[in-house]
């Protein structure tokens, strides 16, 4: 082979051989040395718009919360002294409220310890103020004359007015159970509560001529009584609520609370005489009996349910 033929042979060999090797490699190992359109079509494409997972905040064992809400009465009672009279003419002279000290503004603070993200133990307290309510009854006696409109133009009457209010607070220990969700975490809690309440009561008793609150009526005799007592009670406290975690250290919550406890006895006969006005002998003569106020017993309810909204700090 001549020299120029040798040069052409070796030039062609070094030019064609790499192409042959590359083509063969693409058939044997397409993923490494080349691209195979048929196989690439089976590979799932990356979705750049896929939702990112919600990051989980660091676990905190302790927390403290503060809440504000309003309670509604869960079962009511009627004060016997103003409600239970057998001589009312069709009940027209009766005004009575249903009483339950479970209604009113409620302020609470709690401290908690989390065993894990599913279970917590909580120690809390709250304060509730029940506004002053009044109920009264007017009982006509010794009716001498009654006009066509039903007014007692010549008669005597007794008027019994009763006022009552309360401030109470409780301390409760509760277990809190939740599914441990990252952002919105519902929960239930239940436990025992011990409560103390200060009950203030007042009562007035009047005797007069004519019809009560009618034109021409005249009050002859009046007595006023007042008193207060402390009451202790125990019961159940529970709630259904939801935490909304807005940062590693802060969350907001809302819950519906339920509180059930034993009734508290109020003895109206224990009230002390505050003032006395008028002519007692004239009232005695008019009634043909000794003036006598209601001195029975009522059992007061503190049961309630209501909404609480607050903020929780974790550390």
């Amino acid at each position: 082979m001549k020299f120029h033929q040798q040069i052409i042979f070796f030039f062609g060999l070094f030019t064609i051989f790499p192409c042959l090797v590359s083509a063969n490699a693409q058939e044997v190992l397409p993923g490494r040395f080349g691209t195979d359109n048929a196989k690439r079509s089976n590979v799932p494409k990356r979705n750049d718009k896929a939702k990112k997972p919600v990051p989980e905040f660091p676990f905190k064992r302790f927390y403290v919360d503060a809440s504000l809400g309003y309670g509604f009465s869960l079962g009511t009672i009627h004060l016997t002294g103003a409600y239970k009279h057998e001589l009312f003419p069709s009940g027209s002279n009766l005004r009575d409220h249903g009483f339950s000290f479970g209604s009113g503004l409620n302020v609470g603070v709690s401290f908690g310890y989390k065993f894990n993200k599913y279970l917590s133990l909580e120690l809390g307290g709250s304060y509730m103020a029940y506004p002053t309510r009044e109920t009264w009854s007017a009982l006509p006696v010794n009716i001498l004359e009654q006009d066509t409109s039903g007014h007692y133009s010549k008669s005597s009457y007794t008027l019994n007015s009763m006022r009552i209010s309360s401030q109470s607070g409780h301390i409760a220990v509760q277990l809190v159970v939740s599914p441990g969700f990252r952002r919105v975490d519902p929960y239930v809690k239940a436990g025992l509560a011990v409560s103390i309440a200060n009950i203030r009561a007042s009562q007035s008793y009047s005797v007069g001529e004519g019809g009560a609150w009618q034109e021409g009526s005249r009050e002859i005799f009046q007595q006023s009584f007042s008193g207060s007592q402390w009451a202790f009670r125990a019961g159940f406290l529970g709630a259904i609520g939801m935490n909304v975690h807005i940062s590693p250290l802060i969350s907001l919550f809302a819950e519906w609370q339920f509180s059930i406890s034993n009734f508290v006895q109020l003895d109206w006969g224990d009230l002390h005489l505050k003032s006395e006005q008028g002519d007692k002998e004239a009232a005695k003569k008019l009634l043909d009996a000794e003036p006598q106020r209601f001195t029975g017993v009522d059992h007061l309810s503190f049961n309630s349910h209501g909404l609480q909204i607050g903020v929780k700090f974790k550390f």
Side-chain angles (χ1 to χ4, degrees):
M1 184 179 295
K2 296 182 179 182
F3 178 74
H4 68 278
Q5 294 176 336
Q6 292 178 355
I7 293 176
I8 294 172
F9 173 77
F10 284 107
F11 179 80
L13 181 64
F14 285 105
T15 303
I16 298 173
F17 180 76
C19 295
L20 295 175
V21 172
S22 175
N24 186 55
Q26 289 181 14
E27 294 179 0
V28 178
L29 300 172
R32 181 175 181 127
F33 294 95
T35 58
D36 189 343
N37 293 332
K39 293 188 177 291
R40 285 183 62 188
S41 62
N42 295 328
V43 178
K45 295 183 179 180
R46 177 182 168 186
N47 186 6
D48 294 331
K49 296 183 179 180
K51 292 183 179 180
K52 296 181 180 180
V54 178
E56 186 171 0
F57 291 141
F59 178 73
K60 302 292 184 181
R61 288 202 176 274
F62 297 94
Y63 65 85
V64 58
D65 65 50
S67 63
L68 177 67
Y70 193 87
F72 303 92
S73 59
L74 186 61
T76 58
I77 58 97
H78 295 277
L79 299 183
T80 309
Y83 188 71
K84 194 175 181 180
H85 281 294
E86 298 178 355
L87 300 179
F88 281 127
S90 71
S92 59
N93 290 326
L94 168 67
R95 187 184 76 175
D96 184 65
H97 292 289
F99 285 80
S100 174
F101 290 132
S103 62
L105 187 67
N106 193 18
V107 180
V109 177
S110 297
F111 301 89
Y113 175 80
K114 295 181 71 70
F115 299 101
N116 50 52
K117 64 180 182 179
Y118 309 110
L119 183 65
S120 306
L121 182 65
E122 194 170 286
L123 174 65
S126 71
Y127 167 82
M128 177 178 285
Y130 180 79
T132 301
R133 297 289 179 86
E134 180 182 7
T135 182
W136 48 256
S137 60
L139 181 63
V141 294
N142 298 333
I143 300 175
L144 303 179
E145 185 176 326
Q146 183 175 4
D147 60 23
T148 56
S149 63
H151 291 173
Y152 305 112
S153 57
K154 293 183 180 180
S155 67
S156 59
Y157 68 87
T158 61
L159 175 63
N160 187 52
S161 174
M162 307 167 81
R163 297 177 181 86
I164 194 167
S165 63
S166 171
Q167 296 181 4
S168 65
H170 76 253
I171 297 176
V173 178
Q174 296 176 283
L175 280 176
V176 186
V177 180
S178 68
F181 294 157
R182 294 182 179 181
R183 281 294 184 270
V184 180
D185 193 18
Y187 62 86
V188 295
K189 59 183 181 181
L192 299 177
V194 177
S195 306
I196 181 173
N198 179 249
I199 303 170
R200 296 175 302 279
S202 62
Q203 182 184 24
S204 63
Y205 174 79
S206 302
V207 179
E209 288 183 316
W213 304 288
Q214 294 184 17
E215 185 178 353
S217 62
R218 182 173 68 94
E219 186 176 272
I220 297 175
F221 177 71
Q222 183 192 52
Q223 287 179 321
S224 296
F225 302 83
S226 64
S228 65
Q229 70 178 60
W230 291 95
F232 297 88
R233 66 192 193 281
F236 165 82
L237 182 66
I240 300 174
M242 184 172 296
N243 278 315
V244 179
H245 304 289
I246 60 176
S247 78
L249 300 179
I250 298 176
S251 64
L252 303 177
F253 70 92
E255 64 182 33
W256 198 268
Q257 289 186 351
F258 301 88
S259 176
I260 301 175
S261 63
N262 58 304
F263 284 71
V264 175
Q265 178 175 301
L266 174 62
D267 191 339
W268 292 96
D270 289 341
L271 300 184
H272 305 290
L273 179 63
K274 184 179 180 180
S275 64
E276 184 175 289
Q277 299 175 351
D279 189 343
K280 188 174 183 179
E281 291 299 321
K284 183 177 179 180
K285 182 178 179 180
L286 183 66
L287 297 176
D288 196 22
E290 186 76 22
Q292 187 175 3
R293 67 185 179 98
F294 175 75
T295 57
V297 174
D298 279 307
H299 294 83
L300 308 177
S301 170
F302 283 82
N303 299 340
S304 70
H305 64 105
L307 178 66
Q308 292 289 116
I309 299 176
V311 59
K312 184 175 296 183
F313 302 94
K314 297 168 280 186
F315 56 94

